[in-house]
Amino acid sequence: MDGLSVVIVGGGAGLGELLARMAVEAGVTGLGIIDIDGNAAATALEPARAKGLPVASASADIQAGPECHEAFAAMVAGLGRVDTLINCAAIYPRRPILEITDAEWDASNGVNIKGTYHMMVAAIGHMKEQEPKDHVRGRIVNLTSVDAFKAHPQNAHYAATKAAVVSLTRSFAHHVAGDGILVNSVAPAGMATERARALGFLGELAKASPLGRGALPTEIAEWVLMTGGPKNTYMTGENVIVSGGYIYA
């Protein structure tokens, strides 16, 4: 991420917070975080502040389009330029396929699809007007999931939203290619996180993977940063699957 200014949506905790720390280590020139928890967003910026980097944080419920646009405007005001947007915010409400409620559908669609959509629209409005670096005016990376490509009756609404994000990624990539904006997605399999440990998923992850383990969060984060980083100057509309052989594409 050397030389780029980066904004992470959902950067207050989990993979997003890890991405924020790793982006600082990788040499970003500025860091912004948008999260529904404003305090968490501000705290996640501490490594960037410690290095004296420009920072910006905003609290937003990304289910609402106006909040997305206001939050991104705050990023531009604080950082001046945004080179990379990483859409990491999502909810994961497990429920058997025949028991999903309207409220759960609406929440999943609102955060995972609408939020991603509105954040991309807000970012593109800014990126298309800035001067390119190595032919690229901006990069967007959306976090999807291998669940978008397999049957998932225990979490069908989540899987459906992630399939929708893959489709949105391709449509946006095609639409803004002429503006020099690259739009890609990264689809991880299950990660060996503390939450997965607490919920008892680690054994399930190990059995599902040919490598015999779930992914380390850093192993996923490296691919996200590479896809949104300065070395990617030509790939767009792609979905990078990082699954340890869980699925092949």
Side-chain angles (χ1 to χ4, degrees), residues 9-237:
V9 184
L15 180 62
E17 189 272 335
L18 173 63
L19 283 165
R21 285 190 280 114
M22 290 177 63
V24 172
E25 293 168 3
V28 293
T29 57
L31 181 65
I33 294 179
I34 299 170
D35 200 280
I36 195 168
D37 185 338
N39 291 330
T43 300
L45 288 170
E46 286 304 321
R49 285 197 190 92
K51 286 201 169 186
L53 298 176
V55 297
S57 66
S59 173
D61 179 353
I62 63 170
Q63 296 183 77
E67 289 200 36
C68 292
H69 285 268
E70 289 172 11
F72 197 85
M75 301 296 102
V76 175
L79 303 175
R81 176 186 174 108
V82 176
D83 295 294
T84 299
L85 170 71
I86 300 173
N87 280 311
C88 197
I91 59 173
Y92 186 76
R94 289 172 71 91
R95 177 80 70 176
I97 193 168
L98 300 182
E99 300 174 16
I100 305 168
T101 67
D102 282 354
E104 288 166 335
W105 269 113
D106 290 345
S108 296
N109 291 341
V111 175
N112 299 358
I113 303 175
K114 280 204 307 179
T116 299
Y117 168 82
H118 285 301
M119 291 308 313
M120 284 198 285
V121 171
I124 286 165
H126 166 71
M127 290 175 175
K128 68 192 301 184
E129 300 299 328
Q130 59 192 13
E131 288 297 314
K133 297 178 180 178
D134 295 324
H135 307 288
V136 179
R137 285 191 169 87
R139 298 169 180 83
I140 297 174
V141 185
N142 299 320
L143 266 292
T144 56
S145 169
V146 295
D147 293 346
F149 305 100
K150 62 181 288 292
H152 202 332
Q154 294 302 313
N155 207 5
H157 47 334
Y158 172 81
T161 65
K162 290 305 185 179
V165 173
V166 172
S167 178
L168 276 176
T169 297
R170 291 170 178 160
S171 295
F172 270 90
H174 189 79
H175 185 69
V176 300
D179 295 309
I181 301 171
L182 309 179
V183 187
N184 294 284
S185 56
V186 173
M191 288 182 283
T193 62
E194 288 303 317
R195 182 170 183 268
R197 188 186 308 280
L199 294 174
F201 291 164
L202 290 187
E204 181 182 327
L205 293 178
K207 289 179 182 178
S209 171
L211 296 180
R213 62 178 178 85
L216 298 175
T218 52
E219 292 174 313
I220 303 302
E222 290 284 3
W223 279 98
V224 175
L225 295 178
M226 182 167 63
T227 303
K231 291 185 178 179
N232 176 22
T233 58
Y234 199 67
M235 182 177 74
T236 195

